[in-house]
Amino acid sequence: MRAKASDMHSKDCVKVAVRVRPFNKRERDAGSRCIISLVSTSISIQDPRDCHNRRSFCFDYAYWSHSGFTRDQTGLFVPEEPGGRYADQHSVFQDLGVGILENALQGYNATLLAYGQTGSGKSYSMVGYGPNKGLVPKLCDRLFEAIRENQENRQCQVVDLLSRGSRTAGGLRVREELQRGFYVEGLRKIPCENALQVEQLMEQGTRTRTTAATQMNANSSRSHMLIILQLKQIFSKESITKQSNINLVDLAGSERQRSSGSEADRLKEGTAINLSLTTLGNVIRLLRFVWFALFLHVAGSISFLHIRSCSPSSALADVAVGKKVVHIPYRDSVLTKLLQSALGGNSRTVMIATLSPADICYEESLSTLRYAERAKRIQNRAVVNESPTERLVKELKAENARLLQKLSRMDQEGRRATDESKELRQLLTQNELQIRAIQTLWEQHLQEALKDWEQQYANITQERRMMQMYPYILNINEDAQLSGVVKLFIQEGEWGIGLCDSAPRSISIKGLGIQEHHAVFRNEQRRVTLTPLTGSKVIVNGNAVYETAELQHLDRLILGSNCTYLFVGYPSERGGEDWSRYDYDYFQSELAAAEGIHLSESNTGCSQTDPSLLAVFYDYIQLMPMVAEANQMSQELSKGVEFKLEIKNLALSDSRGHDLQKDIVVRVTAAGSKQVWMWSKAKFVNRKFLMEEVYQQFKAAQHEDNRVEGLLAVVLPRDKDPFWDPVEPLLLGTAHLWLQSLAFRIPLEEQLEVLGSEGTEEAILQAQLVPCTSTGLPLGEDDILIDPSEVLGRRLDFQLVLDQCCGVRWIREARNRGIQIGFRVFDCSEPLYTPAVWHNINPLLDHRVQFTSLQTSQRLLDYLQSSAVVLELWGLQEGCSVLSSSLGAVRMTAEGAFIIDLLHPSQAALSDSAELSCSVRALQQDVEELKSLNESLRKENHSLREQLNAVKNGGDGARGRSLRPSCDAEFARALKVFYHSMTSVRGQLQRLRRHRPSEESDLLGLRLFVDEQSRLLRDFSEQLEDGVSTLKQDVAAIVRRKRERSGIWS
């Protein structure tokens, strides 16, 4: 049950609401399940990895907008059934917006904060889209309705955060005054007469925000948006003026506050947006403690805590020692400075936290709920506001009245004008001049603002008229709220596009990778063409363009690293197409398709794509533009570092070779030193934010020095450089050596392909598995087992031999590198590594390790029959440490063999118990079968006795008794011969796969290659046919001999 809106202004606690949105397209495609449940104002979230781990929270309001809704004819989302649980935009406004408006009309400052991860529905709740208007437009509508209904003189102003002129370097400055508190210097105030003007100003602000984000190389999730509605009410009868600010805050994506996943990075994102959100969290946490401490204060000695700004560390220290002066770190970020009145100050505040209910967003949603829970404990001290200007005028008028009264008394007493009376008249004159100056300044400000508004209205009208006359390109942004707000028109003739804005026929855009003169649009005879200029990057519909291309309606353009636009043709070409499908993901999917990344490839006859592959695909297209931007920043900063996306197949590290989920990594290569790093997605995203800050510093310094682009270099110490990392060993690829032959105690010699994460051949590894004695001597043919279960409970020794690596691509690329091989067998607690080998493309390893099972268990036997040793090829670079084996927890025999299949006593007891239970069940089944056969065997016993008596020669009987075992032995020998022949066939196949023509081969060389390839194929075919033919002949001979003797024991 929701709290009533009227309760909002009864107390000054921060009210907190949470809202759960529906699944988006990514979450539906990935097969996500809902992990959030809601009952009344209580919300629960379940850990998708642990069904028993469920957290519950209680808030002032809780809205279920995940399901139970439908769209009516006007496009409005409404509950499926009257009185349903679905919370639409209207119900959210009734609870939150009405209370904010009532507080503002009473003269209180009011603040609405929207918090949540990117894409969780903050913008939809605050702004909305189409007929589903959000809190801001609905609040404006109601505000002007209240103005029209009231006869008093009220003025409403919208505070625009960005100026229409050129942006000041470093942005607008935040100042502080004793009476005003923190304020933004130079902020424009524009009067509005109706809600439509407010909506148009918001569109202009969004357009400016989009342009600024493009110039700063940042998306909207890394910026905060603050809309301030300033309401001024003049009650002429009561001679009272009330002034209140309505702060509507759309915070940056809350996932920026989290660290880089679970992986530690030596560089933290400690500045910009992450710092502001972290500081906001510190403020909320400390304010919660302050009011909790005040609540627990000893009765009878009530005293208020003095709250002042300071660092978070000193605040926590003072709280710890019990001081009454608690320092709240408002000054640590611009965001908390501007929100000081909203948090613990003069404001009545509401926070709406938006959530994704998908299991893949569990960490972010849980973090949002914890954040909101802390915020609801904050209390503010709101008071009715009086306008400083009106108060000053009132005070001046009162002082003038006192001066006039004093002068009148002096004149009545008949005194002559003394120095005192002259001074009083001068003060009176000065006060009157000051009053007129204040009133004139305000009137002048209103006139200038009205002229500016008229100019804005004319620009909007002009833009709409040009949309019906010319083609244009429309911006597409990662944030859907910022898409479609920038329109660049292509009029008749030739128009250059790029950084240059001084040319008469130029279209100015800014962004990473945009050249001074980037490309040329030509609009001739209602045909529009695009011509890239030298050195510029232009992509049309996912494909790079280097020559003139004619544009069609709804073509997709990418200029520079990631400036994305949709081309809209002449009005006659525009039909009823759905433009909404050409979103940011569509652009990136086209780029991925051009690189060979298709979702259709993962469909194996099923109508639905594997959710894990979809998740990887969306990660890939999310990182693609970020990688392009990182490469561009590296180029402009002369870092010489290249970034490349790779899809890592986790099956390469699985001992059973199962096709596990895939992962995205970023390969980082230093061009000069050839050093290579592999960064996870989280680490790369964190580093990319830091790169942006370095890039902005570079651009700011370049602008101040007025130097030519590219001549200035940013020099950072290595430990602060986001483009650099300490060198570490790099996992190049893996190979699987299957262990099945060890279950039969048959030796194995293999040539294995070491495959990289993308399936590329990194090297050929020669390896052996050698069954041996406890002293390391190889076993002979007589030790081969027919039944692998014979080894159960007995000692098993074998050696893993790594002979040589051939054609190591890692070292071929740079001779100053080295390699190591790492592996882990069965239950070895630590991986083992070969000694490092450097500077050799075909390094000789000659590494031999012996493993021993003192008492072979069923677990080990199952492992040998179904698993492989994963041999990891590690690349070493100059300056990195060599991988070493940690043998502290490894047990070894006296001969130096590693002991495996050694369970902890409790585990061994459980294993033995399970094995005994299985054995008992199997024996019971065998007993039942034997009982059923016993009767039939008795019946046959008499006939068998007669046959034995008929045998004259006793030797024949002995031969008959040994017939079946001899046949089994013959089969085993035949299979062994066939197995050895297949080993040589496998080696021939490996040689065929490695046999490739040289890149410099001419026609004669290609002919020789074809001849050699034909010879190798012929040899391979002959060896394969010989092996199969020999096996057939041996099996036929065994079967023939069995039939000849079948009369003896059939």
Side-chain angles (χ1 to χ4, degrees), residues 15-49:
K15 299 294 182 180
V16 178
V18 293
R19 190 178 190 185
V20 184
R21 65 155 172 80
F23 286 145
N24 58 26
K25 182 178 183 299
R26 290 188 182 184
E27 292 163 350
R28 289 194 302 271
D29 291 344
S32 300
R33 61 184 181 90
C34 181
I35 58 171
I36 289 180
S37 59
L38 188 149
V39 178
S40 184
T41 58
S42 177
I43 188 168
S44 299
I45 182 170
Q46 177 181 315
D47 188 342
R49 299 176 298 272

Coordinates of all heavy atoms in Angstrom, one line a residue, residues 15-49:
K15 N 12.1 11.3 1.2 CA 11.2 10.2 0.8 C 11.9 9.4 -0.3 O 12.4 10.0 -1.2 CB 9.8 10.8 0.4 CG 9.1 11.5 1.5 CD 8.7 10.6 2.6 CE 7.9 11.3 3.6 NZ 7.5 10.5 4.7
V16 N 11.8 8.1 -0.3 CA 12.5 7.3 -1.3 C 11.4 6.4 -1.9 O 10.6 5.7 -1.2 CB 13.6 6.4 -0.6 CG1 14.2 5.5 -1.7 CG2 14.6 7.3 0.0
A17 N 11.5 6.4 -3.2 CA 10.6 5.5 -4.0 C 11.5 4.6 -4.9 O 12.6 5.0 -5.4 CB 9.6 6.3 -4.9
V18 N 11.0 3.4 -5.2 CA 11.7 2.5 -6.1 C 10.7 2.1 -7.2 O 9.5 1.9 -6.9 CB 12.3 1.2 -5.4 CG1 13.4 1.6 -4.5 CG2 11.3 0.5 -4.7
R19 N 11.3 1.9 -8.4 CA 10.4 1.5 -9.5 C 11.1 0.4 -10.3 O 12.3 0.6 -10.7 CB 10.1 2.7 -10.4 CG 9.0 2.5 -11.5 CD 8.8 3.7 -12.3 NE 7.6 3.5 -13.1 CZ 7.1 4.4 -14.0 NH1 7.8 5.5 -14.2 NH2 6.1 4.1 -14.7
V20 N 10.4 -0.6 -10.6 CA 10.9 -1.8 -11.4 C 10.4 -1.7 -12.8 O 9.2 -1.7 -13.0 CB 10.5 -3.1 -10.7 CG1 11.2 -4.3 -11.4 CG2 10.9 -3.1 -9.2
R21 N 11.3 -1.6 -13.7 CA 10.9 -1.5 -15.1 C 10.8 -2.8 -15.8 O 11.2 -3.9 -15.3 CB 12.0 -0.7 -15.9 CG 13.3 -1.3 -16.0 CD 14.1 -0.8 -17.2 NE 15.5 -1.2 -17.3 CZ 15.9 -2.4 -17.7 NH1 15.0 -3.3 -18.0 NH2 17.1 -2.7 -17.7
P22 N 10.2 -2.9 -17.0 CA 10.1 -4.1 -17.8 C 11.5 -4.5 -18.3 O 12.4 -3.8 -18.3 CB 9.1 -3.8 -18.9 CG 8.5 -2.5 -18.6 CD 9.4 -1.8 -17.7
F23 N 11.6 -5.8 -18.8 CA 12.8 -6.2 -19.5 C 13.0 -5.4 -20.7 O 12.0 -5.1 -21.5 CB 12.7 -7.7 -19.8 CG 12.9 -8.6 -18.7 CD1 12.2 -9.8 -18.6 CD2 13.7 -8.3 -17.7 CE1 12.3 -10.7 -17.6 CE2 13.9 -9.2 -16.6 CZ 13.1 -10.4 -16.5
N24 N 14.2 -5.1 -21.1 CA 14.5 -4.5 -22.4 C 14.8 -5.6 -23.4 O 14.8 -6.8 -23.1 CB 15.6 -3.4 -22.3 CG 16.9 -4.0 -21.7 OD1 17.2 -5.2 -21.9 ND2 17.8 -3.2 -21.1
K25 N 15.1 -5.2 -24.6 CA 15.3 -6.1 -25.7 C 16.5 -7.0 -25.4 O 16.5 -8.3 -25.6 CB 15.6 -5.4 -27.0 CG 15.7 -6.3 -28.2 CD 15.9 -5.5 -29.5 CE 16.0 -6.5 -30.7 NZ 17.2 -7.4 -30.6
R26 N 17.6 -6.5 -24.9 CA 18.8 -7.3 -24.6 C 18.4 -8.4 -23.5 O 18.8 -9.5 -23.7 CB 19.9 -6.4 -24.0 CG 20.5 -5.5 -25.1 CD 21.8 -4.8 -24.5 NE 22.4 -3.9 -25.5 CZ 23.5 -3.3 -25.2 NH1 24.1 -3.4 -24.1 NH2 24.0 -2.4 -26.1
E27 N 17.7 -8.0 -22.5 CA 17.4 -8.9 -21.4 C 16.4 -10.0 -21.9 O 16.5 -11.2 -21.5 CB 16.8 -8.1 -20.2 CG 17.9 -7.2 -19.6 CD 17.3 -6.2 -18.7 OE1 16.0 -6.0 -18.7 OE2 18.0 -5.5 -18.0
R28 N 15.5 -9.6 -22.8 CA 14.6 -10.6 -23.3 C 15.3 -11.6 -24.2 O 15.1 -12.8 -24.1 CB 13.4 -10.0 -24.1 CG 12.4 -9.2 -23.2 CD 11.2 -8.9 -24.0 NE 11.5 -8.1 -25.2 CZ 11.5 -6.8 -25.2 NH1 11.3 -6.1 -24.1 NH2 11.8 -6.1 -26.3
D29 N 16.2 -11.1 -25.0 CA 16.9 -12.0 -25.9 C 17.9 -12.9 -25.2 O 18.1 -14.1 -25.6 CB 17.8 -11.1 -26.9 CG 16.9 -10.4 -27.9 OD1 15.7 -10.8 -28.1 OD2 17.4 -9.5 -28.6
A30 N 18.4 -12.4 -24.1 CA 19.3 -13.2 -23.3 C 18.6 -14.2 -22.4 O 19.3 -15.0 -21.6 CB 20.2 -12.3 -22.4
G31 N 17.3 -14.3 -22.4 CA 16.5 -15.2 -21.6 C 16.6 -14.9 -20.1 O 16.6 -15.8 -19.3
S32 N 16.6 -13.6 -19.8 CA 16.8 -13.3 -18.4 C 15.5 -13.6 -17.6 O 14.4 -13.7 -18.1 CB 17.0 -11.7 -18.2 OG 18.2 -11.4 -18.9
R33 N 15.7 -13.9 -16.3 CA 14.6 -14.2 -15.4 C 14.5 -13.1 -14.4 O 15.5 -12.4 -14.0 CB 14.7 -15.5 -14.8 CG 15.9 -15.7 -13.9 CD 15.9 -17.1 -13.4 NE 17.1 -17.3 -12.5 CZ 17.0 -17.2 -11.2 NH1 15.9 -16.8 -10.6 NH2 18.1 -17.4 -10.4
C34 N 13.3 -12.8 -13.9 CA 13.0 -11.8 -12.9 C 13.4 -12.2 -11.5 O 13.1 -13.3 -11.1 CB 11.5 -11.4 -12.9 SG 11.1 -10.1 -11.8
I35 N 14.3 -11.4 -10.9 CA 14.8 -11.8 -9.5 C 14.2 -10.8 -8.5 O 14.7 -10.9 -7.3 CB 16.3 -11.8 -9.5 CG1 16.8 -10.4 -9.9 CG2 16.9 -12.9 -10.4 CD1 18.3 -10.2 -9.7
I36 N 13.3 -9.9 -8.8 CA 12.8 -9.0 -7.9 C 11.3 -9.2 -7.7 O 10.5 -9.5 -8.6 CB 13.0 -7.5 -8.4 CG1 14.5 -7.2 -8.3 CG2 12.2 -6.5 -7.6 CD1 14.8 -5.8 -8.8
S37 N 10.9 -9.2 -6.4 CA 9.4 -9.3 -6.1 C 9.1 -8.1 -5.2 O 9.9 -7.6 -4.5 CB 9.2 -10.6 -5.4 OG 10.0 -10.7 -4.2
L38 N 7.8 -7.8 -5.3 CA 7.3 -6.6 -4.6 C 6.0 -6.8 -4.0 O 5.0 -7.4 -4.6 CB 7.2 -5.4 -5.7 CG 6.9 -4.0 -5.1 CD1 7.6 -3.0 -6.1 CD2 5.4 -3.7 -5.1
V39 N 5.9 -6.5 -2.7 CA 4.6 -6.6 -1.9 C 4.5 -5.3 -1.2 O 5.3 -5.0 -0.3 CB 4.7 -7.8 -0.9 CG1 3.4 -7.9 -0.1 CG2 4.9 -9.1 -1.7
S40 N 3.4 -4.6 -1.5 CA 3.1 -3.3 -0.9 C 4.3 -2.4 -1.1 O 4.8 -2.2 -2.2 CB 2.8 -3.4 0.6 OG 2.4 -2.2 1.1
T41 N 4.9 -1.9 0.0 CA 6.1 -1.0 -0.2 C 7.4 -1.8 0.2 O 8.5 -1.2 0.3 CB 6.0 0.2 0.8 OG1 5.8 -0.3 2.1 CG2 4.8 1.0 0.4
S42 N 7.3 -3.1 0.2 CA 8.5 -3.9 0.5 C 9.0 -4.6 -0.8 O 8.1 -5.1 -1.6 CB 8.1 -5.0 1.5 OG 9.3 -5.9 1.7
I43 N 10.3 -4.6 -1.0 CA 10.8 -5.1 -2.2 C 11.9 -6.1 -1.9 O 12.7 -5.9 -0.9 CB 11.4 -4.0 -3.2 CG1 11.8 -4.6 -4.5 CG2 12.5 -3.2 -2.5 CD1 12.1 -3.5 -5.5
S44 N 12.0 -7.3 -2.6 CA 12.9 -8.3 -2.3 C 13.7 -8.6 -3.6 O 13.2 -8.6 -4.7 CB 12.3 -9.6 -1.8 OG 11.6 -9.3 -0.6
I45 N 15.0 -8.9 -3.4 CA 15.8 -9.3 -4.5 C 16.6 -10.6 -4.2 O 17.1 -10.7 -3.1 CB 16.8 -8.1 -4.9 CG1 17.7 -8.5 -6.1 CG2 17.7 -7.7 -3.7 CD1 18.5 -7.3 -6.6
Q46 N 16.6 -11.5 -5.2 CA 17.2 -12.8 -4.9 C 18.5 -12.9 -5.7 O 18.6 -12.5 -6.9 CB 16.3 -13.9 -5.4 CG 16.8 -15.3 -5.3 CD 15.8 -16.4 -5.7 OE1 14.7 -16.3 -5.4 NE2 16.3 -17.3 -6.5
D47 N 19.5 -13.5 -5.1 CA 20.8 -13.7 -5.8 C 20.6 -14.8 -6.8 O 20.2 -15.9 -6.4 CB 21.8 -14.1 -4.7 CG 23.2 -14.2 -5.3 OD1 23.4 -14.3 -6.5 OD2 24.2 -14.2 -4.5
P48 N 20.8 -14.6 -8.1 CA 20.6 -15.6 -9.1 C 21.5 -16.8 -8.9 O 21.2 -17.9 -9.4 CB 20.8 -14.9 -10.4 CG 21.7 -13.7 -10.1 CD 21.3 -13.3 -8.7
R49 N 22.7 -16.7 -8.2 CA 23.6 -17.7 -8.0 C 23.3 -18.6 -6.7 O 23.9 -19.6 -6.5 CB 25.0 -17.2 -7.9 CG 25.5 -16.5 -9.2 CD 26.9 -15.9 -9.0 NE 26.9 -14.9 -7.9 CZ 26.6 -13.6 -8.1 NH1 26.3 -13.2 -9.3 NH2 26.7 -12.8 -7.1

